[in-house]
Amino acid sequence: MSCPVTCVAWIPRGVAKETPDKVQLDKEELKRLISEAKERLQETTDASDDDDGGAAGDSMEVAHASAASAAPGDEDCEEDEKLNDDELAEYDLDNYDEENTGTESLGETLAGLTVFGSNENDPYVTLKDTEQYEQEDFVIKPSDNLVVCGKVDKDHCSLEVHVYNNEEDSFYVHHDLILSAYPLCTEWLNFDPDDSTGNYIAVGTMNPIIEVWDLDIVDCLEPVFTLGSKKAKKKKKKGKKSLSKEDTQEGHTDAVLDLSWNKQLRSVLASASADHSVILWDMSTSTPAANLSFHTDKVQTLQFHPFETQTLISGSYDKSAVLYDCRNPQENRRIWRFSGQVERVTWNHFSPYHFLASTEDGFVYCLDARSDKPVFTLKAHDEEVSGLQLSSQIKGCLVTSSADKYVKIWDILGDKPSLVHSRDMKMGALFCVASCPDLPFVYAFGGERQGLRTWDISSISAGDQLCFSLT
């Protein structure tokens, strides 16, 4: 499989509906969706026409010129065609279908084949009733974890919802959701503006709009709600070159690179964007509550503190990480500088003052929010560290992934990191890693190829035995 997996997120056990709902569209709803799709397509076409309009004349001139230059060679082409016809004549392709006609009848040809009237009578068919097994796979058990990943195919992008059951050793695709743009990040959340709780996945894409999908609905064609608005439409005034905006844009103006949900204040979602900003969203009203613009380049990563509602950390292409007190971010913030662009940041939930940051030049830094100097610096990989995950339940167990194709397991207890195990995942460059919230040794990975893969790191060879203990 060559389809890249760009982002991944685990869903805890017990939150998904046992039997997901299936969408039943009526005619009016279908007409509405088709008309909206046509409008979006027309807007895209109009925008591309405006961009390409100036170059159309030049391309036509080039086409005419190439046609003119090809004209003198028409006689040579005719001679080549005659030669080809003479070469093919010896094979007598016109009578190809009439050759080798046998005298056997259809009955004699099929005499050696036996067909059973039903699967029940066929001893070679072991699955007599496939519907039963499909129904069993459709039901989500209390011991199932869901794993959602963003997948990129040749002609479309999608979210794949997988079911993972460690006890039954099962891992399969439950359903998928078609996306409108290239997926870059995912974040699970259970906030519902109407019902207060739910099972949702927020998705950031190359578009500035954040989509929030209901994971308990199968075959849905559009997100439950979105955060942000489309780019402001522009119209050319007659006789003038100036542009006038019909409406103003709310939210980001470029791709959404990362998302973080505030588990303490459940209506708040933070987003990082290529437009250099961080936005705090109030999902109860689907509007921005605050815009934090302290970075000078793309904001690649961010994460809320696991226990402190007001504390947020972000990392950027400007080689810095910024710690915010969201109650007064203009006054209360701290900045750290690094040797390269910041790829990932994550809080250490076993040591609440500490957080980790990884960079494009292969380093991992551990920092204390109260100090300017790093607690330790680790040269973890040869290329950018794209994945940075601490185990959900094992203190000191750090897993990193990189564009150098390797996954590495580290013991960082006592602030003295040591390498426990290293593995080439055979997935090409690795883009993401996520730890299972219910199984401390299980991780999911996405990369250039091989789709979504899971790895139970407790199964590594005896020579590299894990010395971690459950906390």
Side-chain angles (χ1 to χ4, degrees):
M1 298 173 65
S2 59
C3 299
V5 169
T6 56
C7 49
V8 61
W10 287 87
I11 286 76
R13 290 176 179 173
V15 300
K17 186 179 291 187
E18 181 179 1
T19 304
D21 299 325
K22 289 188 177 182
V23 172
Q24 300 292 335
L25 292 177
D26 55 28
K27 291 184 179 180
E28 295 299 325
E29 187 74 9
L30 189 59
K31 287 181 180 179
R32 181 184 67 82
L33 291 172
I34 292 174
S35 63
E36 289 178 358
K38 286 182 178 179
E39 290 177 4
R40 289 196 297 268
L41 183 62
Q42 186 62 41
E43 290 175 2
T44 305
T45 304
D46 293 342
S48 61
D49 290 343
D50 292 340
D51 295 338
D52 299 338
D58 296 338
S59 61
M60 289 296 292
E61 292 177 3
V62 172
H64 287 308
S66 61
S69 62
D74 289 345
E75 296 180 358
D76 295 336
C77 293
E78 292 178 0
E79 292 179 2
D80 292 339
E81 290 177 0
K82 289 180 180 179
L83 291 174
N84 291 335
D85 291 341
D86 294 338
E87 292 174 356
L88 294 174
E90 62 178 297
Y91 298 103
D92 193 20
L93 296 178
D94 293 335
N95 299 319
Y96 178 79
D97 293 334
E98 300 178 7
E99 293 181 358
N100 301 325
T101 55
T103 58
E104 297 179 348
S105 64
L106 180 62
E108 294 173 342
T109 303
L110 302 177
L113 299 179
T114 302
V115 179
F116 290 91
S118 68
N119 289 343
E120 294 293 337
N121 300 325
D122 192 338
Y124 296 101
V125 176
T126 57
L127 297 177
K128 305 297 183 181
D129 185 6
T130 57
E131 292 184 3
Q132 175 186 353
Y133 292 92
E134 291 176 358
Q135 183 61 32
E136 289 179 0
D137 287 344
F138 187 74
V139 173
I140 298 174
K141 303 173 184 177
S143 58
D144 288 340
N145 280 103
L146 297 185
V147 195
V148 182
C149 70
K151 191 173 182 180
V152 180
D153 210 335
K154 292 181 181 179
D155 55 353
H156 74 280
C157 300
S158 63
L159 279 181
E160 282 190 347
V161 182
H162 296 248
V163 171
Y164 178 84
N165 191 302
N166 188 60
E167 299 172 1
E168 300 176 358
D169 194 24
S170 61
F171 183 54
Y172 59 90
V173 178
H174 187 272
H175 65 278
D176 61 1
L177 305 166
I178 304 301
L179 297 176
S180 59
Y182 193 103
L184 299 173
C185 55
T186 53
E187 178 78 347
W188 177 78
L189 51 96
N190 70 4
F191 176 78
D192 187 331
D194 298 323
D195 300 328
S196 74
T197 59
N199 181 24
Y200 298 99
I201 192 80
V203 186
T205 67
M206 292 295 290
N207 290 335
I209 299 176
I210 300 166
E211 300 178 351
V212 181
W213 296 80
D214 191 338
L215 294 176
D216 289 335
I217 300 178
V218 177
D219 299 331
C220 54
L221 301 178
E222 58 182 356
V224 178
F225 63 92
T226 59
L227 302 173
S229 60
K230 298 178 181 179
K231 289 184 178 179
K233 297 179 181 178
K234 298 180 180 179
K235 280 190 174 181
K236 291 183 179 180
K237 292 183 178 180
K238 294 182 180 180
K240 296 183 180 180
K241 295 183 179 180
S242 61
L243 299 177
S244 63
K245 291 186 179 180
E246 287 185 350
D247 53 1
T248 57
Q249 184 162 2
E250 184 179 69
H252 290 297
T253 58
D254 208 336
V256 178
L257 305 181
D258 201 12
L259 297 166
S260 181
W261 175 52
N262 194 319
K263 296 178 178 61
Q264 313 302 320
L265 189 58
R266 295 172 47 253
S267 62
V268 176
L269 180 73
S271 59
S273 173
D275 64 10
H276 308 180
S277 72
V278 171
I279 291 182
L280 305 181
W281 296 91
D282 182 355
M283 291 187 289
S284 61
T285 59
S286 297
T287 57
N291 193 317
L292 312 178
S293 300
F294 300 110
H295 288 290
T296 59
D297 207 336
K298 299 175 183 177
V299 187
Q300 171 83 346
T301 176
L302 81 172
Q303 190 177 81
F304 273 113
H305 195 280
F307 310 118
E308 297 179 5
T309 306
Q310 74 280 0
T311 306
L312 175 72
I313 187 79
S314 65
S316 169
Y317 277 35
D318 63 10
K319 302 182 181 181
S320 74
V322 178
L323 176 68
Y324 311 88
D325 183 337
C326 296
R327 294 170 298 187
N328 188 6
Q330 300 293 335
E331 300 294 334
N332 299 327
R333 66 181 186 275
R334 183 189 290 271
I335 300 177
W336 291 265
R337 303 289 177 182
F338 301 96
S339 57
Q341 298 174 359
V342 180
E343 294 290 330
R344 306 299 303 170
V345 293
T346 186
W347 287 99
N348 186 343
H349 46 276
F350 295 105
S351 181
Y353 288 113
H354 290 177
F355 70 92
L356 299 165
S358 65
T359 59
E360 63 169 341
D361 51 359
F363 283 92
V364 172
Y365 298 85
C366 178
L367 297 116
D368 190 319
R370 301 162 296 181
S371 173
D372 294 330
K373 294 183 179 180
V375 176
F376 67 76
T377 301
L378 170 66
K379 177 60 175 176
H381 291 271
D382 295 329
E383 297 184 37
E384 65 187 55
V385 183
S386 56
L388 188 68
Q389 281 285 307
L390 289 162
S391 172
S392 58
Q393 302 173 36
I394 304 174
K395 188 175 182 179
C397 180
L398 172 67
V399 174
T400 59
S401 65
S402 170
D404 65 10
K405 306 177 183 179
Y406 278 85
V407 168
K408 294 184 179 181
I409 305 170
W410 305 89
D411 181 359
I412 62 170
L413 279 175
D415 299 327
K416 296 179 180 179
S418 60
L419 180 63
V420 176
H421 186 74
S422 177
R423 174 180 291 186
D424 183 351
M425 298 296 288
K426 308 297 183 183
M427 299 171 65
L430 295 168
F431 300 139
C432 54
V433 57
S435 61
C436 179
D438 301 298
L439 300 166
F441 292 106
V442 177
Y443 291 78
F445 302 90
E448 283 184 311
R449 53 181 182 269
Q450 300 299 324
L452 178 67
R453 289 181 60 184
T454 60
W455 181 22
D456 185 344
I457 63 173
S458 65
S459 63
I460 63 177
S461 62
D464 293 323
Q465 286 185 353
L466 295 180
C467 56
F468 305 106
S469 61
L470 289 175
T471 301

